[in-house]
C-alpha cells in the first residue's frame, strides 16, 4: 500500500526558483517594478491634468474679471473726460450747498 506523503508546495516552488528559475525570477521582479512605475506615473499624470484644469478655470474667471474691470475703467474715464470738458471749456462749477442756502435766506 502506498503511503500518503504530503508535499510543501511553497518549499517546492522556492527550491525550483532558486535552482532553475533565477532569470525568470529576475524578469518577474522587473515586470512587477515596471507595472508599479506605470501606475505611479499614471497617477501623477492625472493629478497634474486635474491641477491644469483648475488653473485654466481660474484663468478664465480672472480673464472675465479683467474684461469687466477694463469696461468699468473705460466708463469711469468717459465720465471724468466729460467732467473735465465741462469745467475747462464751459467753465461749469459744482454748486456749493452752503452758499446756495445763504442766497435763499
Amino acid at each position: 500500500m502506498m503511503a500518503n506523503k504530503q508535499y510543501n508546495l511553497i518549499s517546492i516552488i522556492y527550491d525550483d526558483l532558486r535552482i532553475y528559475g533565477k532569470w525568470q525570477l529576475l524578469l518577474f521582479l522587473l515586470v512587477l517594478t515596471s507595472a508599479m512605475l506605470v501606475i505611479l506615473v499614471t497617477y501623477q499624470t492625472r493629478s497634474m491634468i486635474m491641477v491644469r484644469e483648475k488653473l485654466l478655470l481660474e484663468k478664465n474667471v480672472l480673464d472675465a474679471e479683467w474684461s469687466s474691470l477694463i469696461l468699468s475703467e473705460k466708463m469711469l474715464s468717459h465720465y471724468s473726460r466729460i467732467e473735465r470738458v465741462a469745467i475747462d471749456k464751459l467753465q461749469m462749477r459744482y454748486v456749493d450747498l452752503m452758499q446756495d442756502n445763504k442766497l435763499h435766506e
Side-chain angles (χ1 to χ4, degrees):
M1 199 165 177
M2 193 190 256
N4 288 343
K5 184 177 179 183
Q6 290 193 353
Y7 296 101
N8 188 355
L9 184 60
I10 295 175
S11 66
I12 293 172
I13 292 172
Y14 175 74
D15 289 339
D16 281 347
L17 285 176
R18 186 174 44 86
I19 295 170
Y20 304 110
K22 291 179 182 173
W23 284 109
Q24 288 86 351
L25 183 61
L26 178 66
L27 289 175
F28 174 72
L29 291 175
L30 288 174
V31 167
L32 192 63
T33 304
S34 173
M36 294 303 281
L37 289 174
V38 165
I39 291 170
L40 179 67
V41 167
T42 302
Y43 174 76
Q44 289 178 344
T45 302
R46 288 182 180 175
S47 296
M48 292 167 90
I49 288 172
M50 286 174 32
V51 168
R52 180 180 178 265
E53 291 298 321
K54 286 180 184 176
L55 289 174
L56 285 175
L57 287 174
E58 186 178 344
K59 177 190 173 283
N60 289 340
V61 168
L62 291 173
D63 282 343
E65 186 178 347
W66 174 255
S67 297
S68 174
L69 289 173
I70 292 294
L71 287 174
S72 296
E73 181 186 25
K74 286 184 179 185
M75 286 186 64
L76 291 174
S77 67
H78 178 71
Y79 289 123
S80 67
R81 181 180 167 275
I82 292 172
E83 181 181 9
R84 190 177 57 246
V85 167
I87 291 172
D88 291 345
K89 291 188 178 178
L90 303 175
Q91 282 75 36
M92 297 176 86
R93 300 282 177 242
Y94 284 106
V95 175
D96 187 10
L97 293 178
M98 297 304 276
Q99 287 181 355
D100 191 38
N101 285 340
K102 288 179 185 177
L103 291 176
H104 292 293
E105 289 180 358

